[in-house]
Amino acid sequence: MAYSEKVIDHYENPRNVGSFDKGDESVGTGMVGAPACGDVMRLQIRVNEQGIIEDARFKTYGCGSAIASSSLVTEWVKGKTLDEAMTIKNSQIAEELELPPVKIHCSVLAEDAIKAAVQDYLQKHGGAAENHSVAAEAASH
Amino acid sequence: MNQVKSLSDWKMQSLESIQQQRPIYLDYQSTTPVDPLVLEQMLPYLTQEFGNPASRSHSYGWTAEEAVERARQQVADAIHADPKEIVWTSGATESTNLALKGAAHFYSGKGKHLITLRTEHKATLDTCRQLEREGFEVTYLDVQENGLVDLDAFVAALRPDTILASVLFVNNEIGVIQPMEEIGRILRERKILFHVDAVQALGKVPVDVEAIHADLMSLSGHKIYGPKGIGALYVRRKPRVRVEAQIHGGGHERGMRSGTLPTHQIVGMGAAAELAVQSMESDSRRIRQLRDRLWHGIQERVEEVYVNGDMEHRVPHNLNVSFAFVEGESLLMALKGIAVSSGSACTSASLEPSYVLRALGKSDELAHSSIRFGIGRYTTEEEIDTTIELIAAKVGKLRELSPLWEMHQEGIDLNSIQWAAH
Ligand SMILES: Cc1ncc(COP(=O)(O)O)c(C=O)c1O
């Protein structure tokens, strides 16, 4: 499989790897995917009092494209409001990383991870997390 | 001689390039380089002695025919057979097609049932699928967790209309050695034909068609330091086994396989087979030390690693390891300094976990994260040490990235989690 230079760069120098305390009130955690399918992404955001995403962390089990997609979105969500972060589309991720068609699902997963992290944050703050149907609640275990 | 000089140059050069410019080659179950001693014997038959071995009317043909018959003797000797029982083919895939289709067609009046294992090579499995489409019935037997066939289950699967069983002597993915003598005895008692895929066995374990009661046996040149594109099928003469030809033409190979014989390839396969048997003991001893060094090194440096396939009934040339909590494709990407195969067949559409590992009952995750190390004649200690370093560093890095590894370390049982399907 041939990877784009951007995928290789993110894979070799992943940005913002790590974890926040998921019990922290200012942290939203989203975990999506399943081990049997070959990819699990965990994205965490730290939100300040103005509702801006100050920082982000990720860990990903998956192929190079999955790692690159999640590394990329940690960069993209920083400095965005929650609403702005929710507008990030998988197609933008796929385009930026030049993902081949068989790897589009990695970008879909990254988009889902953002939504799951935002929803987790909103839930902690009693906010409605209405119509964002997101995949795994695994992080709460 | 000019050729010999350039050959030794070539050998030096190739060893250097293996060590320096190119990835370390640890994929010897996939294919092997032609041994320089083999190449040396092949070369004259490309240029000087180019005759068609079927030409009966002049010395060009006679010389080529002599070379072909010498090679036939070499291959026969390597498996304790008679040269008249060796049929040249283009490789083991063709040998297996000829054996299974040829025998099934010839003996279809006796029965319609065949038996094989789930962990066979695709050459066998896909040929069986084709026979099913033609109306034959095939039982694909499960193996045990260690990759070995359960003999009771094997006997239980035999039917009065079973005409043939096909078993892989040494598995190409996990290196396990099936109990061939026992299987051969069971089949001989019941007069059921026994086809053996011995592609990965020759040169690694003693292969004796009498001891295992083989009726048909597939062999390949390029797995034994011979050239690609040449193989052989052993077809027993006493008691006589018949196969229906799959390729028709000039009636070569006693009608079983037509087509002009590729003299140089045949000479290469004969030389390689002889060399394989001669160097089996010394190769195996050295390779076992390297395999132990690799496995101990990995175990010392990396936690949560599992060998796939039985460790006792196994050739030392193969070590198949699953690295839990890292994903196979990213592992291969990380290991670009070594040429290995992964348990994931990266097909165009998706990453399919290996059917062999699935047949051992391995979870998709462990199947996905497996690496096959194939150690061979030219593997060095330094290469093994570099590989251990690389594995330790890269698996460590990927686990730092892995949420599953973090959860595992926190003591969370990953099976207790309801993962979302996607
Ligand atoms: C066990 C086994 N059987 C059959 C084959 C097919 O051999 P060939 O490449 O000569 O067609 C291979 C090689 O891929 C093999 O490993």
Side-chain angles (χ1 to χ4, degrees):
Chain A
M1 170 132 331
Y3 293 95
S4 71
E5 273 176 32
K6 283 176 183 157
V7 168
I8 291 172
D9 180 39
H10 275 282
Y11 171 78
E12 301 211 322
N13 313 294
R15 333 286 202 252
N16 307 306
V17 177
S19 327
F20 295 136
D21 172 8
K22 54 178 176 279
D24 187 330
E25 278 298 299
S26 65
V27 170
T29 301
M31 181 139 80
V32 294
C37 305
D39 30 32
V40 176
M41 276 182 199
R42 191 190 61 198
L43 177 70
Q44 294 187 298
I45 51 173
R46 185 192 292 286
V47 183
N48 70 14
E49 292 182 345
Q50 288 76 48
I52 307 254
I53 300 172
E54 265 186 341
D55 207 354
R57 291 282 183 274
F58 87 96
K59 282 201 177 186
T60 289
Y61 161 90
C63 66
S65 303
I67 290 170
S69 297
S70 34
S71 170
L72 178 69
V73 298
T74 60
E75 288 191 318
W76 277 5
V77 296
K78 270 201 233 180
K80 287 196 166 62
T81 65
L82 296 178
D83 282 345
E84 284 166 354
M86 294 289 270
T87 65
I88 295 174
K89 288 275 164 296
N90 86 281
S91 52
Q92 298 167 296
I93 301 167
E95 194 183 334
E96 171 69 16
L97 294 174
E98 297 162 32
L99 297 182
V102 295
K103 295 297 181 186
I104 295 301
H105 71 274
C106 297
S107 62
V108 173
L109 214 55
E111 180 188 322
D112 288 349
I114 299 173
K115 295 198 164 130
V118 170
Q119 186 186 35
D120 181 59
Y121 176 83
L122 291 177
Q123 263 170 0
K124 274 186 185 169
H125 294 266
E130 334 81 57
N131 40 35
H132 308 299
S133 67
V134 274
E137 236 73 90
S140 57
H141 285 255
Chain B
M1 223 174 93
N2 204 1
Q3 275 162 356
V4 176
K5 182 176 173 291
S6 64
L7 270 177
S8 59
D9 284 354
W10 170 81
K11 188 172 182 182
M12 285 307 297
Q13 214 184 335
S14 73
L15 285 177
E16 270 170 32
S17 71
I18 282 172
Q19 281 156 4
Q20 288 167 14
Q21 299 131 31
R22 293 200 291 168
I24 294 170
Y25 191 76
L26 286 177
D27 205 9
Y28 281 90
Q29 269 91 66
S30 176
T31 193
T32 61
V34 173
D35 193 291
L37 292 173
V38 170
L39 179 63
E40 215 172 304
Q41 296 184 52
M42 291 171 64
L43 285 175
Y45 294 94
L46 280 162
T47 50
Q48 207 71 12
E49 306 298 346
F50 61 89
N52 186 332
S55 297
R56 291 285 151 80
S57 51
H58 50 68
S59 64
Y60 293 87
W62 304 333
T63 310
E65 193 195 6
E66 268 170 36
V68 165
E69 294 315 312
R70 206 178 316 119
R72 204 187 295 279
Q73 182 75 53
Q74 287 170 312
V75 169
D77 287 347
I79 61 170
H80 300 268
D82 187 276
K84 293 196 192 72
E85 298 174 309
I86 303 299
V87 175
W88 299 117
T89 65
S90 64
T93 301
E94 188 192 327
S95 302
T96 298
N97 271 265
L98 176 56
L100 300 185
K101 291 177 186 166
H105 293 167
F106 192 89
Y107 295 102
S108 61
K110 279 181 73 179
K112 287 267 179 193
H113 182 237
L114 294 86
I115 294 188
T116 190
L117 308 182
R118 280 198 190 288
T119 48
E120 295 291 304
H121 190 269
K122 286 283 183 190
T124 298
L125 295 176
D126 287 351
T127 303
C128 285
R129 292 276 179 233
Q130 174 57 26
L131 287 169
E132 282 184 289
R133 283 190 284 273
E134 294 173 13
F136 289 91
E137 287 174 49
V138 182
T139 300
Y140 302 90
L141 266 183
D142 276 322
V143 295
Q144 304 171 83
E145 234 180 289
N146 59 5
L148 297 175
V149 66
D150 175 345
L151 289 173
D152 292 335
F154 186 83
V155 171
L158 298 172
R159 310 194 320 208
D161 65 339
T162 307
I163 48 176
L164 182 145
S166 183
V167 178
L168 185 47
F169 199 148
V170 170
N171 186 283
N172 48 300
E173 227 177 284
I174 52 174
V176 300
I177 308 166
Q178 298 293 352
M180 302 308 277
E181 284 186 35
E182 288 85 340
I183 296 170
R185 205 174 309 124
I186 290 165
L187 294 170
R188 181 59 61 89
E189 278 166 10
R190 293 165 177 75
K191 295 195 166 59
I192 297 168
L193 294 180
F194 187 20
H195 169 251
V196 176
D197 176 342
V199 168
Q200 300 282 351
L202 190 59
K204 300 192 180 90
V205 293
V207 178
D208 181 339
V209 291
E210 293 307 326
I212 65 175
H213 299 300
D215 296 301
L216 297 155
M217 181 181 280
S218 295
L219 301 168
S220 178
H222 71 102
K223 311 282 184 173
I224 57 169
Y225 307 90
K228 295 171 183 59
I230 183 71
L233 179 66
Y234 160 80
V235 184
R236 178 175 286 282
R237 278 165 66 94
K238 285 185 194 137
R240 189 169 183 208
V241 173
R242 306 285 297 272
V243 294
E244 202 182 276
Q246 303 299 305
I247 294 181
H248 302 89
H252 308 72
E253 299 298 277
R254 282 164 291 123
M256 278 184 269
R257 203 282 191 178
S258 290
T260 298
L261 294 174
T263 314
H264 62 293
Q265 301 288 82
I266 290 170
V267 167
M269 173 137 184
E274 188 175 299
L275 192 59
V277 172
Q278 278 170 3
S279 49
M280 184 174 82
E281 258 194 54
S282 58
D283 269 4
S284 291
R285 203 178 318 116
R286 214 179 57 81
I287 287 168
R288 181 175 297 277
Q289 283 169 1
L290 293 175
R291 193 275 311 268
D292 289 345
R293 190 180 181 91
L294 177 61
W295 180 226
H296 294 148
I298 290 174
Q299 277 183 307
E300 264 171 34
R301 304 282 302 274
V302 190
E303 302 167 64
E304 295 288 332
V305 289
Y306 305 94
V307 168
N308 297 309
D310 197 85
M311 205 57 180
E312 294 300 312
H313 301 97
R314 174 195 207 100
V315 294
H317 309 64
N318 169 293
L319 186 67
N320 188 309
V321 182
S322 286
F323 298 87
F325 312 113
V326 298
E327 186 273 340
E329 194 182 322
S330 59
L331 188 56
L332 273 191
M333 198 172 161
L335 296 177
K336 52 184 190 298
I338 52 178
V340 286
S341 284
S342 154
S344 299
C346 194
T347 60
S348 58
S350 69
L351 206 61
E352 284 290 324
S354 132
Y355 67 90
V356 173
L357 298 185
R358 293 288 298 280
L360 307 194
K362 302 288 169 187
S363 68
D364 282 2
E365 294 98 290
L366 282 182
H368 270 309
S369 71
S370 74
I371 297 283
R372 176 182 75 179
F373 300 96
I375 305 171
R377 194 174 282 169
Y378 307 116
T379 308
T380 64
E381 231 171 57
E382 296 80 70
E383 289 178 325
I384 294 293
D385 290 346
T386 308
T387 300
I388 295 167
E389 289 301 321
L390 213 62
I391 293 274
K394 299 297 183 173
V395 172
K397 182 193 153 178
L398 287 171
R399 282 182 176 168
E400 280 305 303
L401 272 177
S402 168
L404 305 182
W405 177 244
E406 186 182 299
M407 291 160 84
H408 168 73
Q409 291 203 306
E410 288 169 356
I412 298 169
D413 177 8
L414 298 180
N415 292 322
S416 71
I417 291 173
Q418 284 266 305
W419 299 99
H422 69 283

